[in-house]
Amino acid sequence: MPAELLILGIDPGITTAYANLNLKGEILRLKSSRTINLSSIISEATNVGKVILVGCDVKHPPEYSRKLATKLNAKIVSPFDDLKVGFKERITSNFKTNDSHQRDSLAAALYAHSEYSHILSRIDAVLNEQGKEHLSDKV
């Protein structure tokens, strides 16, 4: 069985947080820590599946986020303008987060998901028409 495809939202800093979502937008893991490093995030994320998108909440992704995306061979997704706190609070309001770092990483992942959800939906629709929905993750 192929690995589940994932979206990883990242909020690097003194306290680093990440959110792992599946392509349906469901949270698989949400974590923040002062001691987590790049290799730990990669290890923990890839134990769950294959990361295809790395989401950021700022217009210019930090070097940490770029490195992470490069090591995971994933596309980095960043907004046209930095996401405002009010927007991040609204987009994450239906989820439980323990701190602002988890909120920011989850907002980044949800933003990346929203940016690509139309493409993913279209792929699924075409495959369903052709009776090949089992190929969704490969496509």
Side-chain angles (χ1 to χ4, degrees), residues 5-25:
L5 300 179
L6 307 172
I7 299 169
L8 182 69
I10 187 76
D11 180 46
I14 293 171
T15 298
T16 297
Y18 73 91
N20 236 342
L21 305 182
N22 62 21
L23 296 187
K24 295 176 187 168

Side-chain angles (χ1 to χ4, degrees), residues 29-82:
R29 184 156 196 160
L30 184 59
K31 183 175 182 177
S32 60
S33 172
R34 288 180 172 257
T35 60
I36 196 164
N37 59 30
L38 193 65
S39 61
S40 297
I41 293 172
I42 292 168
S43 176
E44 291 175 18
T46 55
N47 280 339
V48 178
K50 176 169 177 30
V51 177
I52 60 169
L53 299 173
V54 173
C56 297
D57 64 346
V58 292
K59 180 178 182 175
H60 302 288
E63 185 61 29
Y64 190 96
S65 301
R66 290 180 191 278
K67 257 188 209 179
L68 180 62
T70 299
K71 288 183 182 283
L72 291 167
N73 197 28
K75 178 170 178 42
I76 197 156
V77 181
S78 59
F80 292 110
D81 289 307
D82 294 355

